[in-house]
Amino acid sequence: MTQEKDISGQKFGRLTAIKKDHAIWDKEKRISRNFWLFKCDCGNEKVIDKYSVMRGLTTSCGCYHKEQDIKKHTKHGLCKHSLFSKWQDIKNRCYNKNRNKYKNYGARGIKICDEWANDFENFYKWAISNGWKEHLTIERINVNGNYEPSNCCWIPFKEQAKNKTTSHLITINGKTRNLCYWLKKYGVNDSSYYYKRKKGLTDEQIFLRK
Ligand SMILES: [Zn+2]
């Protein structure tokens, strides 16, 4: 039997060889298979077939595949989320000249901020922490302003569809702004607003005496 090569201290992918652990005789292939103890970059130690590591078939303790799996599922999961199509729709309005809505958005200079445009997850996180629900639609405070955190909120679709160009306008203390503006300014969420309005309260009562 030939002398086994010492690989201790050598690195393969995330694995650093520490010492030989044991060997088994492979009857079928009539070879001795050597198992070594490896230390992974993640801190785990694991005994692995040396041949598999040296050939690049195994590159970590298993953590690499776990990470890839999580990444894949997170990405995949979010793509199925209904916010993903909303996000794509906003980007199309702003940048896709072939889309109908472009003339009302991109052509008028309306953009989506880089933070959102470049990363769906940023948009997703903002939406979730700012009261997004399935029946709501994104509205801008300043209708000539961009899609960006400081200029957007979630309101029911019906409210927005009533008047697309100027949106639902409300006057408080002589100042006229859209619903989005007031909800944001007074920290009122859309459902409590509608609940109070159904009960017969006026806009001023809702926002000034909340
Ligand atoms: Zn690892």
Side-chain angles (χ1 to χ4, degrees), residues 162-177:
K162 265 184 197 168
N163 192 339
K164 272 183 176 164
T165 43
T166 54
S167 67
H168 181 61
L169 295 176
I170 293 170
T171 303
I172 306 277
N173 287 341
K175 199 169 166 183
T176 302
R177 294 285 184 275

Side-chain angles (χ1 to χ4, degrees), residues 184-200:
K184 226 170 173 153
K185 181 177 167 84
Y186 290 106
V188 175
N189 73 46
D190 76 288
S191 38
S192 83
Y193 171 77
Y194 284 99
Y195 174 74
K196 286 173 182 170
R197 223 171 60 165
K198 259 188 194 164
K199 281 177 69 184

Side-chain angles (χ1 to χ4, degrees), residues 14-184:
R14 293 185 177 186
L15 299 168
T16 304
I18 299 173
K19 61 177 198 269
K20 182 170 175 174
D21 192 79
H22 67 277
I24 55 168
W25 179 249
D26 188 327
K27 275 186 197 162
E28 254 176 56
K29 291 181 181 163
R30 303 190 58 77
I31 51 161
S32 167
R33 293 173 59 195
N34 299 299
F35 286 78
W36 278 61
L37 177 68
F38 290 90
K39 191 173 173 79
C40 183
D41 285 350
C42 73
N44 273 344
E45 288 187 358
K46 200 177 177 185
V47 174
I48 310 169
D49 186 340
K50 179 179 133 182
Y51 179 78
S52 165
V53 173
M54 290 184 71
R55 294 293 295 271
L57 303 172
T58 306
T59 58
S60 77
C61 71
C63 61
Y64 177 75
H65 285 292
K66 265 185 219 152
E67 282 168 25
Q68 294 306 307
D69 214 42
I70 289 168
K71 261 190 199 166
K72 204 175 98 191
H73 282 93
T74 312
K75 229 180 163 184
H76 194 63
L78 284 181
C79 287
K80 280 186 176 168
H81 200 280
S82 64
L83 273 167
F84 189 78
S85 51
K86 278 203 165 147
W87 174 72
Q88 282 181 316
D89 183 46
I90 296 169
K91 292 211 297 182
N92 280 328
R93 287 177 202 178
C94 296
Y95 301 116
N96 190 345
K97 289 178 183 163
N98 301 319
R99 292 296 174 101
N100 256 345
K101 288 178 177 170
Y102 178 81
K103 62 178 188 296
N104 295 325
Y105 297 89
R108 290 176 49 220
I110 290 159
K111 296 185 183 81
I112 173 170
C113 68
D114 291 343
E115 188 195 340
W116 286 356
N118 297 336
D119 191 347
F120 169 65
E121 254 185 88
N122 287 335
F123 175 73
Y124 174 83
K125 282 179 196 154
W126 171 84
I128 298 298
S129 56
N130 283 274
W132 170 84
K133 283 176 230 86
E134 196 70 57
H135 67 285
L136 300 178
T137 187
I138 194 164
E139 170 83 317
R140 283 158 306 138
I141 293 171
N142 172 3
V143 292
N144 297 315
N146 294 333
Y147 285 98
E148 57 196 7
S150 60
N151 196 39
C152 291
C153 76
W154 297 99
I155 63 161
F157 183 67
K158 260 192 282 173
E159 214 53 55
Q160 192 187 46
K162 265 184 197 168
N163 192 339
K164 272 183 176 164
T165 43
T166 54
S167 67
H168 181 61
L169 295 176
I170 293 170
T171 303
I172 306 277
N173 287 341
K175 199 169 166 183
T176 302
R177 294 285 184 275
N178 64 14
L179 176 60
C180 183
Y181 174 88
W182 297 115
L183 291 176
K184 226 170 173 153

